[in-house]
Amino acid sequence: MSRRRLVRWTGLAGVAASIAYTVGDVLLLGKPVRPQEHPALRDLGADKSTLSMVPSSTGRLTAGALSGVYATPLYLAATWHVYQGLSPAGRSRALPPALILASSWTWASFIHGSFFHVGESYKSLEQLADDPRAVDLLHRQGTAFERSTLLAYAPLAAASLAASVLIVRVVRSGETAYPVWSAPVVAPIVPIVVATAATASHVLPGRAKHALQGAGISLGHLIAFGASTALLWRNRTVGTA
């Protein structure tokens, strides 16, 4: 397989991984929920994203968690695609952001898969709501799962931001295979912020807004990898370094 074809396929791998993560987000967090129908969890202060997992079956939560976990190697392949797009500027400028992006998926996979355990804990809590000891135990367990999951967002955010700053800087130099104007599109942090804001606001219609409420990061990567793949599809300067 030629390098140009491999660049195309690894770009498509990033698109496929983003779609798989988005589907996983919808399965995990996109089910409609009415807080008044879950008094035990509502009284404990459970937020909307937590409550949205409770009506889901164990099978749905499993599929949602694993659809992202299993797709993570595709993201790793896509970082090579990004490296090839940056490589005309030289290895010393192209390699660091690609490696940082690759490292970010070690945390993203854990975060995505961990929502299964949070959801199952609160599902069990609701089923045992008449047993105060069980409620206390499962609430502490679910809270601990949530805390560990949220803590993993910090290095993910830091890595995404650092890689994006480096990508924007090198693309704006005009020495990569990307056009200069595309810097804030192929660097993932800007699409992630835009997609997250859109899914959290009233921009989307009601049903889509609820279904995609937890998918901002995945949709942001879908935009970034989709744009990168389209921009590099016929570019003959890819992989010159």
Side-chain angles (χ1 to χ4, degrees):
M1 181 183 294
S2 69
R3 176 168 289 190
R4 286 183 62 194
R5 286 188 178 181
L6 190 56
V7 169
R8 292 174 179 177
W9 278 109
T10 50
L12 291 174
V15 172
S18 301
I19 293 173
Y21 263 80
T22 300
V23 170
D25 292 333
V26 172
L27 291 174
L28 286 167
L29 302 170
K31 198 171 181 65
V33 63
R34 295 180 179 178
Q36 63 270 24
E37 296 177 356
H38 306 278
L41 288 167
R42 184 190 59 191
D43 293 345
L44 291 170
D47 60 26
K48 190 174 181 181
S49 62
T50 296
L51 287 174
S52 67
M53 291 187 281
V54 175
S56 298
S57 67
T58 296
R60 175 177 172 135
L61 294 179
T62 301
L66 293 181
S67 66
V69 172
Y70 286 162
T72 298
L74 296 177
Y75 268 137
L76 298 178
T79 59
W80 184 85
H81 163 90
V82 173
Y83 169 75
Q84 292 300 314
L86 301 175
S87 63
R91 181 174 298 178
S92 64
R93 300 173 72 186
L95 191 58
L99 292 178
I100 294 171
L101 277 181
S103 71
S104 72
W105 294 109
T106 62
W107 297 295
S109 182
F110 168 80
I111 292 168
H112 190 87
S114 293
F115 277 99
F116 169 82
H117 306 289
V118 176
E120 283 295 296
S121 293
Y122 287 121
K123 279 164 55 70
S124 298
L125 186 157
E126 187 170 68
Q127 293 168 5
L128 298 172
D130 294 332
D131 185 340
R133 292 183 62 188
V135 167
D136 180 64
L137 174 63
L138 290 167
H139 183 235
R140 285 190 285 111
Q141 182 184 72
T143 301
F145 284 150
E146 281 188 299
R147 187 180 299 114
S148 65
T149 302
L150 292 174
L151 285 173
Y153 273 107
L156 172 63
S160 297
L161 178 60
S164 295
V165 169
L166 293 175
I167 290 171
V168 167
R169 183 177 299 174
V170 68
V171 171
R172 286 177 63 86
S173 73
E175 299 174 10
T176 72
Y178 297 108
V180 172
W181 62 262
S182 70
V185 182
V186 297
I189 196 68
V190 175
I192 287 172
V193 170
V194 171
T196 300
T199 56
S201 68
H202 298 288
V203 174
L204 300 175
R207 185 171 296 181
K209 175 187 174 183
H210 188 89
L212 296 172
Q213 66 176 338
I217 295 175
S218 304
L219 290 172
H221 280 101
L222 178 58
I223 294 169
F225 281 121
S228 180
T229 302
L231 290 168
L232 298 185
W233 195 265
R234 296 185 181 278
N235 194 306
R236 295 182 179 278
T237 65
V238 173
T240 58

